[in-house]
Amino acid sequence: MISMSWLLTVLLAGTVGAQPVRIVSDRPLTGDAMKALDVRWASNDSLYVSSYANGVLQVAANSGSVSRVAFAAPGRRCPSCVNLAVSDRHIVTSFPVQQLAWKEAAKPQVHNFSFDAIVDLDVNNGRLLMLGSRREGEAWAPDGAIAWMGSLDGGLKDLRPILYSTRGPKAMTIARCGFLEPGGVRFFPDGSFVVMPGVEPDVYLYDRGGKLVHTWQTAKLGVLDRCDLAEPQVQALSADPEQRAQWRGKRAIVDDILPTPAGPALIVHEQRGGAAHWSMLILRRDGPPKRI
């Protein structure tokens, strides 16, 4: 999730490395969009942002004008509008706990689905990809599952695990540290996808059929890639947003993952000299990571 009071949009022109990243728009968000929580492209010159107070909004990159997308009822808050995922057919939103909602872009009906803990999500051709954890009774992740895939067209009745924790059944990693939002998931245009748990090491690349085809090690990337907090610290950070923001500010956190022609790009946020900085860390299968 990318929290922002302003928006910097960039366009990856051509293949990353062959051509530079080009700034398309750098202007403050205004009005209802000022409290945007997540962002996705809507078209070549506009973006969707999610807002708890105002639902899903569309922002024009050039003018900054804001319009409301038919998702939550006008004048009503949108409890699920924190994480955001979009495709040609669907708009999907989720709250970190319990709430997941989606609609077909051309239809008015919004579908709701309950899932215990959601860190990040993406959608491609009707398929939902999600980093999260389920609870059965008092047991979190009884089978150790931490990433999931299912069909929105089928109402997520086929939702199934695609990645299990290396810690095995009843892994508490997402249940304990998911609120820090340290990882992410993302589809590529061809239907392949990447998962970075964030609560434990490494980044995983799958083909469109769900077969693991490559793994990048994260130990040397310098980003938060594991859940190693003591229980008192978990309780303190989960209860205090200001303390949590200070803790995150002292670490390099992966805010999001972008699909680029060169490979998955981790958008890394960190504080330097009291100011926020972002960098793009492109993971390549045939060489070391490239930082922009």
Side-chain angles (χ1 to χ4, degrees), residues 81-140:
C81 289
V82 177
N83 294 319
L84 175 65
V86 299
S87 69
D88 292 341
R89 294 176 51 208
H90 294 94
I91 300 175
V92 189
T93 65
S94 72
F95 187 76
V97 179
Q98 294 291 343
Q99 307 241 13
L100 172 69
W102 76 91
K103 70 183 293 292
E104 291 189 48
K107 297 181 180 180
Q109 184 179 4
V110 176
H111 306 270
N112 294 287
F113 186 81
S114 180
F115 197 86
D116 295 294
I118 304 169
V119 178
D120 195 28
L121 48 78
D122 199 16
V123 62
N124 173 271
N125 195 29
R127 293 189 301 165
L128 179 74
L129 175 63
M130 183 166 56
L131 179 63
S133 183
R134 258 183 170 164
R135 182 173 60 185
E136 294 184 10
E138 297 300 318
W140 278 97

Side-chain angles (χ1 to χ4, degrees), residues 74-284:
R76 298 281 298 274
R77 293 185 180 274
C78 180
S80 67
C81 289
V82 177
N83 294 319
L84 175 65
V86 299
S87 69
D88 292 341
R89 294 176 51 208
H90 294 94
I91 300 175
V92 189
T93 65
S94 72
F95 187 76
V97 179
Q98 294 291 343
Q99 307 241 13
L100 172 69
W102 76 91
K103 70 183 293 292
E104 291 189 48
K107 297 181 180 180
Q109 184 179 4
V110 176
H111 306 270
N112 294 287
F113 186 81
S114 180
F115 197 86
D116 295 294
I118 304 169
V119 178
D120 195 28
L121 48 78
D122 199 16
V123 62
N124 173 271
N125 195 29
R127 293 189 301 165
L128 179 74
L129 175 63
M130 183 166 56
L131 179 63
S133 183
R134 258 183 170 164
R135 182 173 60 185
E136 294 184 10
E138 297 300 318
W140 278 97
D143 57 359
I146 58 176
W148 308 73
M149 181 173 288
S151 169
L152 295 178
D153 296 328
L156 295 181
K157 294 179 181 178
D158 62 347
L159 189 67
R160 62 182 177 86
I162 56 169
L163 179 64
Y164 295 85
S165 172
T166 57
R167 300 189 182 187
K170 299 184 179 180
M172 289 285 290
T173 50
I174 286 182
R176 296 183 72 249
C177 295
F179 67 92
L180 296 171
E181 297 165 341
V185 296
R186 197 69 161 205
F187 278 109
F188 284 80
D190 65 358
S192 61
F193 56 94
V194 64
V195 177
M196 179 183 176
V199 294
E200 55 185 65
D202 298 340
V203 177
Y204 304 92
L205 176 66
Y206 298 81
D207 66 17
R208 63 177 296 110
K211 178 182 177 181
L212 180 65
V213 294
H214 191 77
T215 301
W216 288 275
Q217 296 183 347
T218 53
K220 297 181 180 180
L221 298 183
V223 299
L224 179 68
D225 67 349
R226 65 197 65 224
C227 175
D228 55 6
L229 301 176
E231 189 59 30
Q233 195 173 17
V234 170
Q235 297 298 327
L237 293 176
S238 62
D240 188 340
E242 183 174 348
Q243 186 175 343
R244 184 162 66 248
Q246 293 175 355
W247 186 91
R248 284 175 55 91
K250 296 177 181 178
R251 290 157 178 83
I253 304 286
V254 174
D255 259 346
D256 214 334
I257 302 174
L258 299 182
T260 78
L266 310 182
I267 306 302
V268 181
H269 167 262
E270 54 190 321
Q271 297 284 335
R272 300 177 189 168
H277 288 263
W278 283 266
S279 58
M280 182 181 295
L281 191 62
I282 301 170
L283 305 181
R284 300 181 291 184

Side-chain angles (χ1 to χ4, degrees), residues 58-86:
Q58 188 166 352
V59 182
N62 293 326
S63 67
S65 63
V66 178
S67 59
R68 190 183 183 105
V69 177
F71 196 86
R76 298 281 298 274
R77 293 185 180 274
C78 180
S80 67
C81 289
V82 177
N83 294 319
L84 175 65
V86 299

